[in-house]
């Protein structure tokens, strides 16, 4: 299964709203992190969010956040 619209859009919204409480840059980074954690695909999450916003200066921070979130999500699933 790929990125389904019923999961993709709400995960972007949830991540962006959580980060927007801090700043607009955090909204970008947390949207990528939410996608990375939910789909266990940090590169996909980072690239999709980059394609939406075209903010080059936040690419590496969003990749780091998405990778960390995906790692935590995998670790949480494996500890059950």
């Amino acid at each position: 299964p790929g990125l389904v619209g019923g999961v993709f859009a709400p995960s972007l919204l949830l991540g962006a709203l959580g980060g927007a409480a801090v700043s607009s840059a955090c909204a970008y980074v947390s949207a990528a992190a939410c996608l990375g954690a939910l789909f266990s695909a940090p590169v996909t999450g980072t690239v999709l969010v980059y394609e939406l916003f075209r903010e080059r200066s936040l690419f590496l921070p969003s990749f780091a956040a998405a990778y960390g979130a995906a790692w935590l999500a995998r670790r949480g699933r494996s500890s059950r």
Side-chain angles (χ1 to χ4, degrees), residues 28-29 46 49-63:
Y28 175 90
V29 171
T46 303
V49 172
Y50 172 74
E51 286 180 357
L52 287 172
F53 298 110
R54 300 282 183 193
E55 189 63 44
R56 197 178 276 179
S57 65
L58 295 174
F59 187 81
L60 287 177
S62 66
F63 178 73

Side-chain angles (χ1 to χ4, degrees), residues 9-31:
S11 67
L12 267 181
L13 179 67
L14 182 67
L17 286 176
V22 178
S23 72
S24 62
C26 287
Y28 175 90
V29 171
S30 64

Side-chain angles (χ1 to χ4, degrees), residues 3 7-9 11-12 15 30-42 44-46 48-49 52 66 69-70:
L3 297 175
V7 178
F8 174 70
S11 67
L12 267 181
S30 64
C34 190
L35 277 175
L38 189 61
F39 296 114
S40 295
T44 302
T46 303
L48 285 173
V49 172
L52 287 172

Side-chain angles (χ1 to χ4, degrees), residues 40 69-80:
S40 295
W71 180 78
L72 284 173
R74 271 193 298 265
R75 187 165 178 172
R77 283 190 285 258
S78 67
S79 67
R80 290 183 185 178

